[in-house]
Amino acid sequence: MPTATNRSLGMQRNKLLRYKLIKELYYKHKTEDIPTTVVWRKYICPVYPISRTTLYEILCTSVTVELREIEEAIKNQAKL
């Protein structure tokens, strides 16, 4: 069933792209004297309504590495 695999790869890719946008927004506003919770509440939550726990999960995710793996898998699926 290549379609289900393509669909799940696409969903994973979209999630990682969203994570990338959230991380960019976080690092844009995060400074040494501003706590993570303040950045989450003032800047991230109004745009991306996620929990603080989800934010911490996103910050721990290596988005670029996982995106590269997903892109490789999508290319391999296209070759089949």
Side-chain angles (χ1 to χ4, degrees):
M1 282 193 291
T3 0
T5 306
N6 287 342
R7 183 178 296 170
S8 63
L9 287 174
M11 288 176 10
Q12 182 71 13
R13 181 177 172 270
N14 288 339
K15 181 179 85 167
L16 289 170
L17 290 172
R18 188 169 47 253
Y19 279 13
K20 185 177 178 183
L21 292 173
I22 291 170
K23 285 178 93 166
E24 288 171 358
L25 185 61
Y26 173 80
Y27 289 120
K28 177 181 176 185
H29 296 288
K30 177 69 172 133
T31 59
E32 195 174 288
D33 57 333
I34 301 176
T36 298
T37 53
V38 173
V39 174
W40 166 73
R41 186 177 61 243
K42 290 177 87 173
Y43 303 107
I44 295 174
C45 222
V47 180
Y48 301 100
I50 59 172
S51 69
R52 197 181 68 211
T53 307
T54 303
L55 175 62
Y56 289 130
E57 178 185 319
I58 291 169
L59 294 176
C60 292
T61 303
S62 57
V63 173
T64 53
V65 173
E66 290 189 28
L67 261 175
R68 194 175 323 120
E69 292 172 358
I70 293 292
E71 294 294 336
E72 296 269 331
I74 290 173
K75 284 181 188 176
N76 290 338
Q77 286 291 327
K79 290 179 183 177
L80 296 178

